[in-house]
Amino acid sequence: MIVQRVVLNSRPGKNGVPVAENFRLEQSTIADTIQVGQARVRTLYLSVDPYMRCRMNEDTGSDYLLPWQLSEVADGGGIGVVEESKHQNLAKGDFVTSFNWPWQTVAILDGSLLQKLDPQLVNGRLSYFLGAAGITGLTALLGIKEKGHVTGGANQTMVVSGAAGACGSLAGQIGRLEGCSRVVGIAGTDEKCSILVQEMGFDAAINYKKGDVARQLRELCPGGVDVYFDNVGGDISDTVISQMNQNSHIILCGQISQYNKDVPYPPPLPPDVEKIQKERNITRERFLVLNYMDKQEASVLQLCQWIQEGKLKVRETVVEGLENIGAAFQSMMEGGNIGKQIVSVSK
């Protein structure tokens, strides 16, 4: 059977900026028959995420992420429908997902590595299982629960950087649902800031490209910052940390401003900021959602309930066509999207 697939065409280099041309669309073939335990699946949606930038390097800098190989098919979070099954738990027509879904139109996969999905849990929006009801939502929810130390009624203020992104836009809302009394987002355009406040319930949002971020933070968080959901690192994070309270907490989710630089993860703080962190006893521990998979099922059900109740607003940027996944990746890395970046492969 002839299929289309996207392979890694070239590496941008550890300090390079990824572009669409780093990926290549090509034709390939898969077997016409499947073996016992396998399923043939047609790809519906693929997830494009910032962490994938690390997989473009020969050394990902991580012991849990494997690098993509040149001229080999890329992979990541995906959703599809079973067309044929020889696995006892899967039947034709089942919707399934995997964290290592190949970027191709049709694939033959090990049925034991596929997880069945119930579209009713997300009001029929299957792509949500790659975002708000998937690993992105789990990262926001478990990050806040495990590292944020949010306590209802404690009058805590949360700041979220990269707040209009897939994880940040959920984290601010979840922080409020978990008990924060004030949530302030930091984003890169007036449009994003407006959506955060008007649509997603943030109390305020700062456009970091306009004005004095430190001054605006002081005005919007007069009691200081108790919880910081850090998606970006760099100068913005240094500014936020400087205004954090004694015994406050940083949820170290991502450092997207550093992903095109050859630095360790998490990147070290400047000496003056590190001094503040230590003197104020601010926790800043690496957070990896994969370490909390024993809490996955209950957490996904919680996320789905909030979605069904309208308490968790979801934004997606959907790009049509497998051939456009490289451009979608470039756009996401440039910060041009609001919410989750999804590629729709077939209907």
Side-chain angles (χ1 to χ4, degrees), residues 234-271:
D235 293 342
I236 290 174
S237 289
D238 296 343
T239 300
V240 176
I241 294 169
S242 298
Q243 298 192 31
M244 294 186 73
N245 293 325
Q246 194 75 24
N247 301 319
S248 54
H249 304 283
I250 298 169
I251 302 164
L252 197 58
C253 178
Q255 304 280 277
I256 195 169
S257 73
Q258 308 297 303
Y259 284 171
N260 295 326
K261 301 176 183 178
D262 186 10
V263 295
Y265 185 87
L269 296 170

PDB file of all heavy atoms in Angstrom, residues 234-271:
ATOM      1  N   GLY A 234      14.327  32.384  30.264  1.00  0.00           N
ATOM      2  CA  GLY A 234      14.920  33.617  29.766  1.00  0.00           C
ATOM      3  C   GLY A 234      14.573  34.847  30.588  1.00  0.00           C
ATOM      4  O   GLY A 234      14.261  34.772  31.775  1.00  0.00           O
ATOM      5  N   ASP A 235      14.633  36.015  29.934  1.00  0.00           N
ATOM      6  CA  ASP A 235      14.461  37.297  30.619  1.00  0.00           C
ATOM      7  C   ASP A 235      13.103  37.434  31.293  1.00  0.00           C
ATOM      8  O   ASP A 235      13.000  38.022  32.380  1.00  0.00           O
ATOM      9  CB  ASP A 235      14.656  38.453  29.627  1.00  0.00           C
ATOM     10  CG  ASP A 235      16.089  38.555  29.113  1.00  0.00           C
ATOM     11  OD1 ASP A 235      16.990  37.977  29.767  1.00  0.00           O
ATOM     12  OD2 ASP A 235      16.305  39.194  28.068  1.00  0.00           O
ATOM     13  N   ILE A 236      12.063  36.916  30.637  1.00  0.00           N
ATOM     14  CA  ILE A 236      10.723  37.037  31.222  1.00  0.00           C
ATOM     15  C   ILE A 236      10.661  36.303  32.554  1.00  0.00           C
ATOM     16  O   ILE A 236      10.158  36.828  33.561  1.00  0.00           O
ATOM     17  CB  ILE A 236       9.654  36.502  30.250  1.00  0.00           C
ATOM     18  CG1 ILE A 236       9.503  37.441  29.054  1.00  0.00           C
ATOM     19  CG2 ILE A 236       8.300  36.333  30.959  1.00  0.00           C
ATOM     20  CD1 ILE A 236       8.580  36.936  27.983  1.00  0.00           C
ATOM     21  N   SER A 237      11.190  35.097  32.581  1.00  0.00           N
ATOM     22  CA  SER A 237      11.170  34.332  33.818  1.00  0.00           C
ATOM     23  C   SER A 237      12.016  35.001  34.901  1.00  0.00           C
ATOM     24  O   SER A 237      11.640  35.010  36.077  1.00  0.00           O
ATOM     25  CB  SER A 237      11.655  32.904  33.573  1.00  0.00           C
ATOM     26  OG  SER A 237      10.691  32.188  32.827  1.00  0.00           O
ATOM     27  N   ASP A 238      13.150  35.566  34.516  1.00  0.00           N
ATOM     28  CA  ASP A 238      13.977  36.275  35.494  1.00  0.00           C
ATOM     29  C   ASP A 238      13.194  37.417  36.138  1.00  0.00           C
ATOM     30  O   ASP A 238      13.285  37.649  37.347  1.00  0.00           O
ATOM     31  CB  ASP A 238      15.236  36.824  34.821  1.00  0.00           C
ATOM     32  CG  ASP A 238      16.147  35.724  34.275  1.00  0.00           C
ATOM     33  OD1 ASP A 238      15.972  34.551  34.688  1.00  0.00           O
ATOM     34  OD2 ASP A 238      17.009  36.046  33.435  1.00  0.00           O
ATOM     35  N   THR A 239      12.406  38.106  35.318  1.00  0.00           N
ATOM     36  CA  THR A 239      11.604  39.227  35.821  1.00  0.00           C
ATOM     37  C   THR A 239      10.534  38.743  36.789  1.00  0.00           C
ATOM     38  O   THR A 239      10.309  39.351  37.849  1.00  0.00           O
ATOM     39  CB  THR A 239      10.947  39.968  34.643  1.00  0.00           C
ATOM     40  OG1 THR A 239      11.965  40.454  33.770  1.00  0.00           O
ATOM     41  CG2 THR A 239      10.106  41.134  35.126  1.00  0.00           C
ATOM     42  N   VAL A 240       9.865  37.647  36.439  1.00  0.00           N
ATOM     43  CA  VAL A 240       8.818  37.112  37.316  1.00  0.00           C
ATOM     44  C   VAL A 240       9.413  36.614  38.629  1.00  0.00           C
ATOM     45  O   VAL A 240       8.905  36.924  39.720  1.00  0.00           O
ATOM     46  CB  VAL A 240       8.048  35.974  36.623  1.00  0.00           C
ATOM     47  CG1 VAL A 240       7.025  35.362  37.584  1.00  0.00           C
ATOM     48  CG2 VAL A 240       7.351  36.479  35.364  1.00  0.00           C
ATOM     49  N   ILE A 241      10.495  35.864  38.547  1.00  0.00           N
ATOM     50  CA  ILE A 241      11.108  35.296  39.757  1.00  0.00           C
ATOM     51  C   ILE A 241      11.518  36.403  40.723  1.00  0.00           C
ATOM     52  O   ILE A 241      11.399  36.250  41.948  1.00  0.00           O
ATOM     53  CB  ILE A 241      12.314  34.415  39.378  1.00  0.00           C
ATOM     54  CG1 ILE A 241      11.836  33.186  38.600  1.00  0.00           C
ATOM     55  CG2 ILE A 241      13.098  33.973  40.622  1.00  0.00           C
ATOM     56  CD1 ILE A 241      12.951  32.373  37.952  1.00  0.00           C
ATOM     57  N   SER A 242      11.947  37.534  40.184  1.00  0.00           N
ATOM     58  CA  SER A 242      12.366  38.654  41.027  1.00  0.00           C
ATOM     59  C   SER A 242      11.213  39.204  41.867  1.00  0.00           C
ATOM     60  O   SER A 242      11.451  39.902  42.858  1.00  0.00           O
ATOM     61  CB  SER A 242      12.961  39.768  40.161  1.00  0.00           C
ATOM     62  OG  SER A 242      14.123  39.307  39.484  1.00  0.00           O
ATOM     63  N   GLN A 243       9.982  38.897  41.463  1.00  0.00           N
ATOM     64  CA  GLN A 243       8.820  39.405  42.197  1.00  0.00           C
ATOM     65  C   GLN A 243       8.058  38.293  42.930  1.00  0.00           C
ATOM     66  O   GLN A 243       6.924  38.500  43.367  1.00  0.00           O
ATOM     67  CB  GLN A 243       7.895  40.151  41.238  1.00  0.00           C
ATOM     68  CG  GLN A 243       8.563  41.365  40.601  1.00  0.00           C
ATOM     69  CD  GLN A 243       7.590  42.269  39.871  1.00  0.00           C
ATOM     70  OE1 GLN A 243       6.423  42.382  40.233  1.00  0.00           O
ATOM     71  NE2 GLN A 243       8.073  42.946  38.840  1.00  0.00           N
ATOM     72  N   MET A 244       8.696  37.153  43.084  1.00  0.00           N
ATOM     73  CA  MET A 244       8.028  36.057  43.771  1.00  0.00           C
ATOM     74  C   MET A 244       8.209  36.165  45.285  1.00  0.00           C
ATOM     75  O   MET A 244       9.183  36.712  45.786  1.00  0.00           O
ATOM     76  CB  MET A 244       8.540  34.704  43.256  1.00  0.00           C
ATOM     77  CG  MET A 244       8.176  34.462  41.806  1.00  0.00           C
ATOM     78  SD  MET A 244       8.601  32.804  41.207  1.00  0.00           S
ATOM     79  CE  MET A 244       7.352  31.813  42.039  1.00  0.00           C
ATOM     80  N   ASN A 245       7.225  35.620  46.010  1.00  0.00           N
ATOM     81  CA  ASN A 245       7.188  35.719  47.462  1.00  0.00           C
ATOM     82  C   ASN A 245       8.030  34.646  48.136  1.00  0.00           C
ATOM     83  O   ASN A 245       8.458  33.674  47.500  1.00  0.00           O
ATOM     84  CB  ASN A 245       5.732  35.608  47.947  1.00  0.00           C
ATOM     85  CG  ASN A 245       4.897  36.794  47.529  1.00  0.00           C
ATOM     86  OD1 ASN A 245       5.402  37.919  47.476  1.00  0.00           O
ATOM     87  ND2 ASN A 245       3.632  36.557  47.222  1.00  0.00           N
ATOM     88  N   GLN A 246       8.218  34.807  49.421  1.00  0.00           N
ATOM     89  CA  GLN A 246       8.889  33.799  50.221  1.00  0.00           C
ATOM     90  C   GLN A 246       8.111  32.494  50.153  1.00  0.00           C
ATOM     91  O   GLN A 246       6.887  32.480  50.219  1.00  0.00           O
ATOM     92  CB  GLN A 246       8.989  34.277  51.679  1.00  0.00           C
ATOM     93  CG  GLN A 246       9.948  33.477  52.555  1.00  0.00           C
ATOM     94  CD  GLN A 246      11.406  33.798  52.266  1.00  0.00           C
ATOM     95  OE1 GLN A 246      11.706  34.882  51.763  1.00  0.00           O
ATOM     96  NE2 GLN A 246      12.309  32.873  52.580  1.00  0.00           N
ATOM     97  N   ASN A 247       8.835  31.377  50.005  1.00  0.00           N
ATOM     98  CA  ASN A 247       8.240  30.033  49.966  1.00  0.00           C
ATOM     99  C   ASN A 247       7.244  29.854  48.818  1.00  0.00           C
ATOM    100  O   ASN A 247       6.262  29.118  48.943  1.00  0.00           O
ATOM    101  CB  ASN A 247       7.549  29.708  51.298  1.00  0.00           C
ATOM    102  CG  ASN A 247       8.508  29.774  52.471  1.00  0.00           C
ATOM    103  OD1 ASN A 247       9.646  29.329  52.381  1.00  0.00           O
ATOM    104  ND2 ASN A 247       8.059  30.370  53.570  1.00  0.00           N
ATOM    105  N   SER A 248       7.502  30.515  47.705  1.00  0.00           N
ATOM    106  CA  SER A 248       6.642  30.375  46.529  1.00  0.00           C
ATOM    107  C   SER A 248       7.161  29.258  45.630  1.00  0.00           C
ATOM    108  O   SER A 248       8.167  28.619  45.928  1.00  0.00           O
ATOM    109  CB  SER A 248       6.552  31.710  45.781  1.00  0.00           C
ATOM    110  OG  SER A 248       7.848  32.198  45.484  1.00  0.00           O
ATOM    111  N   HIS A 249       6.455  29.031  44.509  1.00  0.00           N
ATOM    112  CA  HIS A 249       6.754  27.831  43.717  1.00  0.00           C
ATOM    113  C   HIS A 249       6.755  28.131  42.222  1.00  0.00           C
ATOM    114  O   HIS A 249       5.840  28.775  41.705  1.00  0.00           O
ATOM    115  CB  HIS A 249       5.716  26.746  44.007  1.00  0.00           C
ATOM    116  CG  HIS A 249       5.612  26.403  45.465  1.00  0.00           C
ATOM    117  ND1 HIS A 249       6.539  25.618  46.115  1.00  0.00           N
ATOM    118  CD2 HIS A 249       4.697  26.775  46.401  1.00  0.00           C
ATOM    119  CE1 HIS A 249       6.193  25.502  47.388  1.00  0.00           C
ATOM    120  NE2 HIS A 249       5.087  26.191  47.599  1.00  0.00           N
ATOM    121  N   ILE A 250       7.776  27.602  41.546  1.00  0.00           N
ATOM    122  CA  ILE A 250       7.854  27.666  40.090  1.00  0.00           C
ATOM    123  C   ILE A 250       7.511  26.286  39.538  1.00  0.00           C
ATOM    124  O   ILE A 250       8.074  25.278  39.964  1.00  0.00           O
ATOM    125  CB  ILE A 250       9.269  28.050  39.626  1.00  0.00           C
ATOM    126  CG1 ILE A 250       9.646  29.443  40.138  1.00  0.00           C
ATOM    127  CG2 ILE A 250       9.362  28.009  38.091  1.00  0.00           C
ATOM    128  CD1 ILE A 250      11.119  29.782  39.938  1.00  0.00           C
ATOM    129  N   ILE A 251       6.560  26.244  38.593  1.00  0.00           N
ATOM    130  CA  ILE A 251       6.249  25.006  37.875  1.00  0.00           C
ATOM    131  C   ILE A 251       7.042  25.057  36.576  1.00  0.00           C
ATOM    132  O   ILE A 251       6.720  25.820  35.662  1.00  0.00           O
ATOM    133  CB  ILE A 251       4.738  24.887  37.603  1.00  0.00           C
ATOM    134  CG1 ILE A 251       3.959  24.939  38.920  1.00  0.00           C
ATOM    135  CG2 ILE A 251       4.427  23.597  36.840  1.00  0.00           C
ATOM    136  CD1 ILE A 251       2.483  25.215  38.751  1.00  0.00           C
ATOM    137  N   LEU A 252       8.100  24.297  36.514  1.00  0.00           N
ATOM    138  CA  LEU A 252       9.030  24.360  35.394  1.00  0.00           C
ATOM    139  C   LEU A 252       8.504  23.475  34.268  1.00  0.00           C
ATOM    140  O   LEU A 252       8.874  22.305  34.143  1.00  0.00           O
ATOM    141  CB  LEU A 252      10.410  23.899  35.864  1.00  0.00           C
ATOM    142  CG  LEU A 252      11.616  24.260  34.997  1.00  0.00           C
ATOM    143  CD1 LEU A 252      11.717  25.768  34.806  1.00  0.00           C
ATOM    144  CD2 LEU A 252      12.884  23.727  35.628  1.00  0.00           C
ATOM    145  N   CYS A 253       7.653  24.057  33.439  1.00  0.00           N
ATOM    146  CA  CYS A 253       7.001  23.292  32.378  1.00  0.00           C
ATOM    147  C   CYS A 253       7.851  23.240  31.117  1.00  0.00           C
ATOM    148  O   CYS A 253       8.072  22.187  30.538  1.00  0.00           O
ATOM    149  CB  CYS A 253       5.635  23.901  32.064  1.00  0.00           C
ATOM    150  SG  CYS A 253       4.786  23.063  30.715  1.00  0.00           S
ATOM    151  N   GLY A 254       8.330  24.382  30.664  1.00  0.00           N
ATOM    152  CA  GLY A 254       9.114  24.442  29.436  1.00  0.00           C
ATOM    153  C   GLY A 254       9.972  25.691  29.415  1.00  0.00           C
ATOM    154  O   GLY A 254       9.796  26.593  30.228  1.00  0.00           O
ATOM    155  N   GLN A 255      10.898  25.733  28.479  1.00  0.00           N
ATOM    156  CA  GLN A 255      11.813  26.875  28.354  1.00  0.00           C
ATOM    157  C   GLN A 255      11.962  27.206  26.873  1.00  0.00           C
ATOM    158  O   GLN A 255      13.059  27.188  26.323  1.00  0.00           O
ATOM    159  CB  GLN A 255      13.168  26.544  28.971  1.00  0.00           C
ATOM    160  CG  GLN A 255      13.114  26.116  30.427  1.00  0.00           C
ATOM    161  CD  GLN A 255      13.005  27.283  31.374  1.00  0.00           C
ATOM    162  OE1 GLN A 255      13.972  27.925  31.754  1.00  0.00           O
ATOM    163  NE2 GLN A 255      11.773  27.564  31.780  1.00  0.00           N
ATOM    164  N   ILE A 256      10.844  27.540  26.231  1.00  0.00           N
ATOM    165  CA  ILE A 256      10.840  27.637  24.775  1.00  0.00           C
ATOM    166  C   ILE A 256      11.802  28.710  24.270  1.00  0.00           C
ATOM    167  O   ILE A 256      12.346  28.594  23.167  1.00  0.00           O
ATOM    168  CB  ILE A 256       9.409  27.871  24.238  1.00  0.00           C
ATOM    169  CG1 ILE A 256       9.358  27.610  22.728  1.00  0.00           C
ATOM    170  CG2 ILE A 256       8.896  29.245  24.596  1.00  0.00           C
ATOM    171  CD1 ILE A 256       7.954  27.549  22.168  1.00  0.00           C
ATOM    172  N   SER A 257      12.060  29.745  25.063  1.00  0.00           N
ATOM    173  CA  SER A 257      12.993  30.778  24.606  1.00  0.00           C
ATOM    174  C   SER A 257      14.421  30.243  24.509  1.00  0.00           C
ATOM    175  O   SER A 257      15.284  30.869  23.887  1.00  0.00           O
ATOM    176  CB  SER A 257      12.970  31.974  25.568  1.00  0.00           C
ATOM    177  OG  SER A 257      13.621  31.669  26.788  1.00  0.00           O
ATOM    178  N   GLN A 258      14.666  29.079  25.115  1.00  0.00           N
ATOM    179  CA  GLN A 258      16.023  28.518  25.148  1.00  0.00           C
ATOM    180  C   GLN A 258      16.195  27.313  24.222  1.00  0.00           C
ATOM    181  O   GLN A 258      17.295  26.760  24.118  1.00  0.00           O
ATOM    182  CB  GLN A 258      16.359  28.080  26.580  1.00  0.00           C
ATOM    183  CG  GLN A 258      16.125  29.152  27.631  1.00  0.00           C
ATOM    184  CD  GLN A 258      17.009  30.370  27.432  1.00  0.00           C
ATOM    185  OE1 GLN A 258      18.229  30.252  27.395  1.00  0.00           O
ATOM    186  NE2 GLN A 258      16.401  31.541  27.298  1.00  0.00           N
ATOM    187  N   TYR A 259      15.126  26.876  23.545  1.00  0.00           N
ATOM    188  CA  TYR A 259      15.182  25.621  22.803  1.00  0.00           C
ATOM    189  C   TYR A 259      16.093  25.674  21.583  1.00  0.00           C
ATOM    190  O   TYR A 259      16.520  24.631  21.090  1.00  0.00           O
ATOM    191  CB  TYR A 259      13.780  25.182  22.374  1.00  0.00           C
ATOM    192  CG  TYR A 259      12.956  24.588  23.504  1.00  0.00           C
ATOM    193  CD1 TYR A 259      11.605  24.304  23.331  1.00  0.00           C
ATOM    194  CD2 TYR A 259      13.515  24.302  24.741  1.00  0.00           C
ATOM    195  CE1 TYR A 259      10.840  23.761  24.355  1.00  0.00           C
ATOM    196  CE2 TYR A 259      12.769  23.769  25.763  1.00  0.00           C
ATOM    197  CZ  TYR A 259      11.421  23.500  25.571  1.00  0.00           C
ATOM    198  OH  TYR A 259      10.677  22.976  26.578  1.00  0.00           O
ATOM    199  N   ASN A 260      16.373  26.865  21.068  1.00  0.00           N
ATOM    200  CA  ASN A 260      17.281  26.974  19.932  1.00  0.00           C
ATOM    201  C   ASN A 260      18.700  27.322  20.378  1.00  0.00           C
ATOM    202  O   ASN A 260      19.523  27.760  19.576  1.00  0.00           O
ATOM    203  CB  ASN A 260      16.780  28.034  18.937  1.00  0.00           C
ATOM    204  CG  ASN A 260      15.459  27.621  18.303  1.00  0.00           C
ATOM    205  OD1 ASN A 260      15.209  26.455  18.077  1.00  0.00           O
ATOM    206  ND2 ASN A 260      14.617  28.601  18.028  1.00  0.00           N
ATOM    207  N   LYS A 261      18.976  27.117  21.675  1.00  0.00           N
ATOM    208  CA  LYS A 261      20.304  27.410  22.215  1.00  0.00           C
ATOM    209  C   LYS A 261      20.878  26.133  22.827  1.00  0.00           C
ATOM    210  O   LYS A 261      20.151  25.322  23.391  1.00  0.00           O
ATOM    211  CB  LYS A 261      20.223  28.504  23.288  1.00  0.00           C
ATOM    212  CG  LYS A 261      19.640  29.824  22.770  1.00  0.00           C
ATOM    213  CD  LYS A 261      19.503  30.833  23.896  1.00  0.00           C
ATOM    214  CE  LYS A 261      18.854  32.131  23.409  1.00  0.00           C
ATOM    215  NZ  LYS A 261      18.665  33.096  24.514  1.00  0.00           N
ATOM    216  N   ASP A 262      22.175  25.996  22.726  1.00  0.00           N
ATOM    217  CA  ASP A 262      22.846  24.812  23.268  1.00  0.00           C
ATOM    218  C   ASP A 262      23.146  25.046  24.746  1.00  0.00           C
ATOM    219  O   ASP A 262      24.252  25.395  25.141  1.00  0.00           O
ATOM    220  CB  ASP A 262      24.134  24.550  22.489  1.00  0.00           C
ATOM    221  CG  ASP A 262      24.799  23.243  22.923  1.00  0.00           C
ATOM    222  OD1 ASP A 262      24.160  22.475  23.667  1.00  0.00           O
ATOM    223  OD2 ASP A 262      25.944  23.006  22.509  1.00  0.00           O
ATOM    224  N   VAL A 263      22.112  24.865  25.573  1.00  0.00           N
ATOM    225  CA  VAL A 263      22.249  25.034  27.021  1.00  0.00           C
ATOM    226  C   VAL A 263      21.626  23.824  27.708  1.00  0.00           C
ATOM    227  O   VAL A 263      20.770  23.148  27.147  1.00  0.00           O
ATOM    228  CB  VAL A 263      21.557  26.329  27.514  1.00  0.00           C
ATOM    229  CG1 VAL A 263      22.243  27.550  26.934  1.00  0.00           C
ATOM    230  CG2 VAL A 263      20.073  26.338  27.149  1.00  0.00           C
ATOM    231  N   PRO A 264      22.051  23.532  28.933  1.00  0.00           N
ATOM    232  CA  PRO A 264      21.449  22.404  29.656  1.00  0.00           C
ATOM    233  C   PRO A 264      20.013  22.703  30.036  1.00  0.00           C
ATOM    234  O   PRO A 264      19.576  23.859  30.024  1.00  0.00           O
ATOM    235  CB  PRO A 264      22.333  22.263  30.897  1.00  0.00           C
ATOM    236  CG  PRO A 264      22.924  23.626  31.096  1.00  0.00           C
ATOM    237  CD  PRO A 264      23.108  24.191  29.719  1.00  0.00           C
ATOM    238  N   TYR A 265      19.254  21.634  30.344  1.00  0.00           N
ATOM    239  CA  TYR A 265      17.880  21.820  30.799  1.00  0.00           C
ATOM    240  C   TYR A 265      17.735  21.275  32.214  1.00  0.00           C
ATOM    241  O   TYR A 265      18.163  20.153  32.485  1.00  0.00           O
ATOM    242  CB  TYR A 265      16.885  21.099  29.878  1.00  0.00           C
ATOM    243  CG  TYR A 265      15.448  21.398  30.268  1.00  0.00           C
ATOM    244  CD1 TYR A 265      14.823  22.519  29.759  1.00  0.00           C
ATOM    245  CD2 TYR A 265      14.771  20.598  31.173  1.00  0.00           C
ATOM    246  CE1 TYR A 265      13.518  22.828  30.140  1.00  0.00           C
ATOM    247  CE2 TYR A 265      13.476  20.904  31.559  1.00  0.00           C
ATOM    248  CZ  TYR A 265      12.858  22.018  31.033  1.00  0.00           C
ATOM    249  OH  TYR A 265      11.582  22.338  31.425  1.00  0.00           O
ATOM    250  N   PRO A 266      17.133  22.047  33.133  1.00  0.00           N
ATOM    251  CA  PRO A 266      16.706  23.429  32.918  1.00  0.00           C
ATOM    252  C   PRO A 266      17.890  24.387  32.877  1.00  0.00           C
ATOM    253  O   PRO A 266      18.886  24.159  33.582  1.00  0.00           O
ATOM    254  CB  PRO A 266      15.821  23.704  34.136  1.00  0.00           C
ATOM    255  CG  PRO A 266      16.311  22.785  35.189  1.00  0.00           C
ATOM    256  CD  PRO A 266      16.790  21.551  34.484  1.00  0.00           C
ATOM    257  N   PRO A 267      17.787  25.443  32.073  1.00  0.00           N
ATOM    258  CA  PRO A 267      18.901  26.384  31.966  1.00  0.00           C
ATOM    259  C   PRO A 267      19.198  27.027  33.318  1.00  0.00           C
ATOM    260  O   PRO A 267      18.279  27.307  34.090  1.00  0.00           O
ATOM    261  CB  PRO A 267      18.379  27.429  30.970  1.00  0.00           C
ATOM    262  CG  PRO A 267      17.266  26.755  30.237  1.00  0.00           C
ATOM    263  CD  PRO A 267      16.658  25.807  31.215  1.00  0.00           C
ATOM    264  N   PRO A 268      20.465  27.262  33.627  1.00  0.00           N
ATOM    265  CA  PRO A 268      20.792  27.920  34.894  1.00  0.00           C
ATOM    266  C   PRO A 268      20.276  29.358  34.929  1.00  0.00           C
ATOM    267  O   PRO A 268      20.184  30.019  33.890  1.00  0.00           O
ATOM    268  CB  PRO A 268      22.323  27.879  34.923  1.00  0.00           C
ATOM    269  CG  PRO A 268      22.736  27.731  33.494  1.00  0.00           C
ATOM    270  CD  PRO A 268      21.655  26.944  32.830  1.00  0.00           C
ATOM    271  N   LEU A 269      19.944  29.810  36.112  1.00  0.00           N
ATOM    272  CA  LEU A 269      19.493  31.187  36.286  1.00  0.00           C
ATOM    273  C   LEU A 269      20.703  32.113  36.388  1.00  0.00           C
ATOM    274  O   LEU A 269      21.775  31.701  36.837  1.00  0.00           O
ATOM    275  CB  LEU A 269      18.653  31.303  37.558  1.00  0.00           C
ATOM    276  CG  LEU A 269      17.345  30.519  37.594  1.00  0.00           C
ATOM    277  CD1 LEU A 269      16.752  30.552  39.005  1.00  0.00           C
ATOM    278  CD2 LEU A 269      16.357  31.055  36.580  1.00  0.00           C
ATOM    279  N   PRO A 270      20.545  33.391  36.007  1.00  0.00           N
ATOM    280  CA  PRO A 270      21.621  34.355  36.256  1.00  0.00           C
ATOM    281  C   PRO A 270      21.914  34.419  37.758  1.00  0.00           C
ATOM    282  O   PRO A 270      21.015  34.194  38.577  1.00  0.00           O
ATOM    283  CB  PRO A 270      21.028  35.681  35.746  1.00  0.00           C
ATOM    284  CG  PRO A 270      19.946  35.279  34.795  1.00  0.00           C
ATOM    285  CD  PRO A 270      19.398  33.997  35.322  1.00  0.00           C
ATOM    286  N   PRO A 271      23.154  34.718  38.148  1.00  0.00           N
ATOM    287  CA  PRO A 271      23.530  34.688  39.564  1.00  0.00           C
ATOM    288  C   PRO A 271      22.621  35.519  40.477  1.00  0.00           C
ATOM    289  O   PRO A 271      22.277  35.075  41.580  1.00  0.00           O
ATOM    290  CB  PRO A 271      24.961  35.252  39.551  1.00  0.00           C
ATOM    291  CG  PRO A 271      25.485  34.888  38.202  1.00  0.00           C
ATOM    292  CD  PRO A 271      24.309  35.002  37.275  1.00  0.00           C
TER     293      PRO A 271
END
